[in-house]
Amino acid sequence: MNAVASSLSDATLNAIKALLGDEQVLLDKASLEHYGRDWTTAYDPAPAAILLPRTIAEVQAVVQLANREGLALVPSGGRTGLSGGAVATNAELVVALDKINHIDNFNALDRTVDCGAGVITEQLQNYAREQGLLYPVDFASSGSSQIGGNIATNAGGIQVIRYGMTRDWVAGLKVVTGTGELLDLNCGLMKNNAGYDLRQLFIGAEGTLGIIVEATMKLTRPPKDLNVLVLGVQEFAAIMQVLEVFQQKIDLTAFEFFSEKALQKVVERCELPRPFESATEYYALLEFETLTEGTLDEVMALFEHCVEQGWVIDGVISQSETQARNLWRLREDISETISHWTPYKNDISTRVSKIPEFLIEVEQVVSEHYPDFEIIWFGHIGDGNVHLNILKPETLDREEFLRQCSRVSQWVFEIVQRYGGSISAEHGVGLLKKDYLGYSRSEAEIAYMKAIKAVFDPNNIMNPGKIF
Amino acid sequence: MKILVAVKRVADANVKVRAKADGSAADLANVKMAINPFCEIAVEEAVRLKEKGVATEVVVVSMGDKACQEQIRTALALGADRGIHVETDVDLQPLAIAKMLKAIVDKESSELIILGKQSIDGDNNQTGQMLAALAGIPQGTFASEVVIEDGKAAVTREIDGGLQTISLSLPAVVTTDLRLNEPRYASLPNIMKAKRKPLDVVSPADLGVDPAPGVTTLKVEAPAERQAGIIVESVEELVDKLKNEAKVI
């Protein structure tokens, strides 16, 4: 093994190895780089060591040792986060939960299953499918992300409008707090009003209060016959009107949008057919469950209504699963397609009804100061979440682009604040957005957050420096 | 020129189909159904020929129970002009289908008949060939390009190791391969218009054909499950296993 000088003393390292076994402690350069960073590329990883505990007791032992020695810990799942929440830049010990990956105690009546924190999202999805059920939280990184990380970041994704966030699927949680104590929270109960629901504090805490080691996850009935609709609209405000009328009649599983600019790039680079010939400024992608034959008639009637009102110009509906998948790709492949232009990305939300005005304001401020910037919008608009992407102009070098974008962030967050929105809809705060937390949270709120952290993690060893 | 296209209602290509517990057939209860992908390509080709002004009318036909009308409506939404549904609950096989198509071709005086090369459920790859034989007209199978010029169809065929281009006098049967074209989506305005396009329902008896099957399915079973891989400890062990267990070296 290609060992490098570690900032840990020999005594500490030996103590860790005695707890976990030599094999479970990685010190080579490749592992330190691999486990030291997430999908956020802005930071250079510099962890002291990577620990791979195999049991909950081992996690507790590591946390207790870290308390005694004053060592900082970074809990680590699939590291697909986009805010630097799982990045170790400061000689921390990375505690990777990869090996705590059991799936057991499935209960068909409760419709729950216990998962180790290291279970990959897709494994849980497949497991549920084998039982004839569904784990509905799904996003592009589900093949790498882990359940523990999903919970720690309260991951969202493409079906939030129907199924909610990860939070809604956690029936029970086992966590090792910053003091090394094991808490068994809520134990899979549907109803439990006996005191504070501490489980909720650990969901979305980005590993700053403790380490999630096991969760009881809820499963549900899989949807029947999903159909996909892509509608072309000229005015952004019309998308919201379409959403309103469809939601009155149909249980949507997704309501996404993207702009013509985004579509052009995806069609060109992924060689996908356009949904229809007419080009419109924006597109809405709707997915719904076809429960009865009446559903399709209802959808046709709604479409006709939207056309009569002048909101919708054209539209298609999937006639097969293959078509449904190809239509979804028009939206899902955007992120990868535009990565070619090293885009500046921002994940923000406002109340659904405020989105149109919000978008216009952001566009105005960006085009006023940087007319060369190309803005690509897409997102899960049905839940108020939009992804703002600005493509780097070819002529601008990366450094200068990033510098200009940090000014854009400032303006965008000021607008977010005025709209009472969130500076991070689903990606968390981590390192990337901690300087901007004040735009979404009051001073008093942040003070309470810090006080809560001090209760669960009195020595500030759990993912220090993240969120605030 | 009048074109006749046939579409078959099959289980969606992305559905994992299971055999029924008694092994009598595939279990299609609650399975999403769609136009057979090769038939979809046939519809697209016919519609493109009409858009180019080569064809004057595209007639789409499907055979089977009432639910087949869904697939006819989809083809009408894609641009076909009118539909014919041969309604029957009998399990239809290629020969019966070819005989009924022959009757329709005679009645409609179709000059070009475009069919999928095979259906993804039956996998027979017989109907087009049988129809050409019954009607006594030329056939161009596995087409990846079709050009109509001077009353002839130039069909480029995908054959082993290359392409073959043949010239057919019309009327003729063409069966489609995957690369012929990329079918469009059915647009919602066209789906609405399709509801008003004519759809005639006829019976096999109307066509003078007895659709009774000549082949009986004895058994349907799932393929053997692949065994999980193993991790070997050393090259020696790998060589030993390849030699003595897999017997490949």
Side-chain angles (χ1 to χ4, degrees):
Chain A
M1 203 176 275
N2 196 358
V4 289
S6 167
S7 51
L8 296 173
S9 71
D10 285 348
T12 307
L13 197 55
N14 287 336
I16 295 169
K17 285 182 173 172
L19 285 178
L20 302 179
D22 290 3
E23 301 273 292
Q24 316 306 327
V25 182
L26 308 178
L27 297 165
D28 61 293
K29 194 161 174 275
S31 295
L32 294 181
E33 273 190 18
H34 175 67
Y35 285 94
R37 70 151 50 119
D38 59 14
W39 282 7
T40 325
T41 47
Y43 307 97
D44 293 324
I50 314 302
L51 316 186
L52 290 158
R54 288 159 299 185
T55 63
I56 293 174
E58 285 183 355
V59 175
Q60 283 187 272
V62 166
V63 176
Q64 283 155 3
L65 180 130
N67 267 295
R68 284 197 302 276
E69 308 258 338
L71 302 167
L73 303 177
V74 176
S76 174
R79 293 179 307 284
T80 56
L82 295 167
S83 294
V87 172
T89 56
N90 207 8
E92 300 98 329
L93 297 176
V94 172
V95 182
L97 281 304
D98 301 25
K99 297 203 168 170
I100 304 183
N101 61 352
H102 55 277
I103 301 185
D104 50 30
N105 294 327
F106 168 68
N107 188 311
L109 184 58
D110 294 339
R111 292 204 291 195
T112 58
V113 65
D114 293 349
C115 291
V119 169
I120 291 168
T121 315
E122 198 173 78
Q123 284 179 312
L124 176 58
Q125 290 167 343
N126 290 341
Y127 181 88
R129 200 170 300 129
E130 281 162 26
Q131 318 304 321
L133 292 170
L134 172 79
Y135 177 65
V137 182
D138 192 25
F139 32 77
S141 61
S142 58
S144 319
S145 69
Q146 297 175 3
I147 293 301
N150 290 352
I151 297 172
T153 56
N154 188 23
I158 52 179
Q159 294 183 321
V160 170
I161 185 174
R162 164 81 179 262
Y163 296 110
M165 309 278 279
T166 301
R167 183 187 299 283
D168 299 295
W169 298 90
V170 180
L173 205 56
K174 281 188 186 151
V175 298
V176 174
T177 69
T179 62
E181 219 166 336
L182 178 66
L183 298 181
D184 192 353
L185 304 171
N186 200 56
C187 309
L189 297 175
M190 290 267 283
K191 291 186 134 182
N192 179 12
N193 283 352
Y196 298 163
D197 187 355
L198 298 179
R199 162 187 56 155
Q200 303 298 351
L201 278 179
F202 285 86
I203 301 171
E206 301 185 38
T208 58
L209 302 179
I211 300 180
I212 292 162
V213 287
E214 190 186 283
T216 304
M217 303 305 290
K218 291 188 230 175
L219 305 176
T220 187
R221 168 184 77 79
K224 203 184 135 195
D225 200 0
L226 289 176
N227 271 301
V228 175
L229 209 60
V230 173
L231 306 177
V233 302
Q234 283 301 10
E235 302 279 329
F236 191 83
I239 292 185
M240 311 315 282
Q241 282 158 320
V242 171
L243 175 64
E244 189 182 331
V245 297
F246 269 86
Q247 270 190 322
Q248 277 169 7
K249 299 271 170 89
I250 308 278
D251 277 334
L252 296 172
T253 51
F255 191 97
E256 303 277 319
F257 93 106
F258 45 91
S259 60
E260 169 64 20
K261 281 178 189 161
L263 178 71
Q264 273 173 13
K265 296 209 153 46
V266 169
V267 164
E268 202 175 295
R269 292 187 82 89
C270 302
E271 293 181 2
L272 288 167
R274 289 184 71 92
F276 33 79
E277 273 175 27
S278 21
T280 55
E281 274 302 300
Y282 300 100
Y283 300 87
L285 183 153
L286 295 72
E287 188 191 62
F288 57 91
E289 198 177 355
T290 317
L291 286 172
T292 64
E293 279 182 29
T295 310
L296 283 176
D297 294 337
E298 190 82 75
V299 165
M300 293 307 296
L302 285 165
F303 172 74
E304 262 185 304
H305 174 70
C306 290
V307 172
E308 277 162 17
Q309 296 294 320
W311 301 332
V312 170
I313 307 297
D314 207 343
V316 291
I317 184 166
S318 60
Q319 298 288 331
S320 66
E321 185 100 9
T322 312
Q323 289 195 351
R325 286 181 193 200
N326 281 338
L327 289 172
W328 258 117
R329 284 189 62 193
L330 298 175
R331 158 66 187 85
E332 287 202 309
D333 288 4
I334 295 173
S335 222
E336 201 184 309
T337 301
I338 61 172
S339 65
H340 173 75
W341 287 271
T342 47
Y344 156 90
K345 288 165 168 291
N346 221 324
D347 160 50
I348 42 196
S349 69
T350 71
R351 293 175 68 141
V352 177
S353 54
K354 305 258 187 182
I355 292 261
E357 298 161 63
F358 173 78
L359 246 60
I360 290 166
E361 277 206 45
V362 171
E363 290 222 353
Q364 269 171 357
V365 72
V366 175
S367 61
E368 191 179 307
H369 291 86
Y370 297 117
D372 295 349
F373 280 10
E374 190 175 4
I375 300 180
I376 303 272
W377 289 105
F378 62 91
H380 323 296
I381 197 147
D383 52 39
N385 183 185
V386 289
H387 297 303
L388 163 66
N389 291 265
I390 301 175
L391 306 188
K392 186 179 82 61
E394 298 272 340
T395 49
L396 209 57
D397 73 60
R398 194 159 175 269
E399 294 296 307
E400 178 58 20
F401 177 63
L402 289 175
R403 206 183 56 76
Q404 296 184 357
C405 284
S406 69
R407 293 177 61 192
V408 172
S409 286
Q410 195 78 25
W411 301 325
V412 170
F413 293 144
E414 278 164 16
I415 302 172
V416 168
Q417 187 172 33
R418 253 190 297 118
Y419 278 81
S422 174
I423 57 147
S424 185
E426 59 176 1
H427 292 173
V429 179
L431 287 175
L432 196 69
K433 290 193 168 171
K434 65 184 243 180
D435 293 343
Y436 306 105
L437 187 60
Y439 286 98
S440 275
R441 302 291 199 168
S442 70
E443 267 179 46
E445 260 183 298
I446 296 171
Y448 274 114
M449 288 188 203
K450 287 179 175 168
I452 290 169
K453 177 166 169 67
V455 171
F456 289 102
D457 179 28
N459 295 324
N460 193 28
I461 59 161
M462 290 309 312
N463 217 2
K466 308 290 163 58
I467 302 184
F468 37 68
Chain B
M1 184 176 69
K2 285 171 78 174
I3 300 182
L4 182 74
V5 182
V7 296
K8 184 171 181 186
R9 175 181 167 89
V10 298
D12 191 286
N14 283 295
V15 171
K16 198 179 169 204
V17 177
R18 293 189 165 82
K20 277 187 185 163
D22 63 3
S24 62
D27 186 359
L28 296 180
N30 294 321
V31 164
K32 186 165 174 93
M33 305 296 279
I35 294 187
N36 177 46
F38 292 109
C39 301
E40 206 181 356
I41 293 170
V43 174
E44 176 67 33
E45 194 64 19
V47 171
R48 286 186 191 187
L49 286 172
K50 189 176 174 207
E51 285 168 349
K52 280 186 205 150
V54 176
T56 49
E57 188 186 33
V58 176
V59 178
V60 59
V61 56
S62 188
M63 302 175 185
D65 62 18
K66 187 130 203 290
C68 293
Q69 292 189 9
E70 258 180 61
Q71 277 60 46
I72 296 177
R73 288 287 172 205
T74 300
L76 294 175
L78 292 172
D81 297 296
R82 63 187 166 88
I84 301 172
H85 176 213
V86 183
E87 191 171 354
T88 172
D89 291 329
V90 175
D91 168 35
L92 292 176
Q93 292 179 349
L95 184 56
I97 296 169
K99 283 178 182 169
M100 291 193 279
L101 284 174
K102 156 89 168 52
I104 295 170
V105 169
D106 289 345
K107 186 164 166 272
E108 296 284 336
S109 329
S110 319
E111 285 161 278
L112 184 64
I113 302 99
I114 310 181
L115 309 177
K117 69 169 180 179
Q118 70 193 67
S119 59
I120 60 166
D121 54 357
D123 264 347
N124 289 308
N125 176 230
Q126 293 171 345
T127 305
Q129 292 88 330
M130 286 176 170
L131 171 61
L134 289 170
I137 56 176
Q139 55 181 301
T141 49
F142 317 134
S144 63
E145 197 186 348
V146 177
V147 181
I148 309 289
E149 237 170 21
D150 307 328
K152 285 186 183 299
V155 176
T156 304
R157 307 178 62 227
E158 302 207 343
I159 56 171
D160 280 350
L163 298 174
Q164 178 194 45
T165 304
I166 56 173
S167 175
L168 312 178
S169 56
L170 297 176
V173 176
V174 169
T175 72
T176 63
D177 217 322
L178 208 56
R179 275 162 288 271
L180 180 57
N181 60 50
E182 174 130 24
R184 68 194 69 186
Y185 295 107
S187 84
L188 287 156
N190 287 340
I191 290 175
M192 292 193 301
K193 280 182 213 148
K195 285 185 179 167
R196 292 188 288 273
K197 289 184 179 176
L199 199 173
D200 293 330
V201 181
V202 298
S203 71
D206 295 340
L207 300 171
V209 175
D210 172 11
V215 179
T216 313
T217 302
L218 299 179
K219 197 174 173 194
V220 174
E221 59 186 328
E225 266 190 50
R226 229 180 112 200
Q227 291 195 337
I230 54 163
I231 293 175
V232 293
E233 295 293 329
S234 64
V235 174
E236 288 74 27
E237 194 189 343
L238 175 65
V239 172
D240 176 67
K241 283 198 184 295
L242 289 175
K243 248 187 198 151
N244 300 317
E245 275 182 36
K247 296 193 167 58
V248 289
I249 52 172

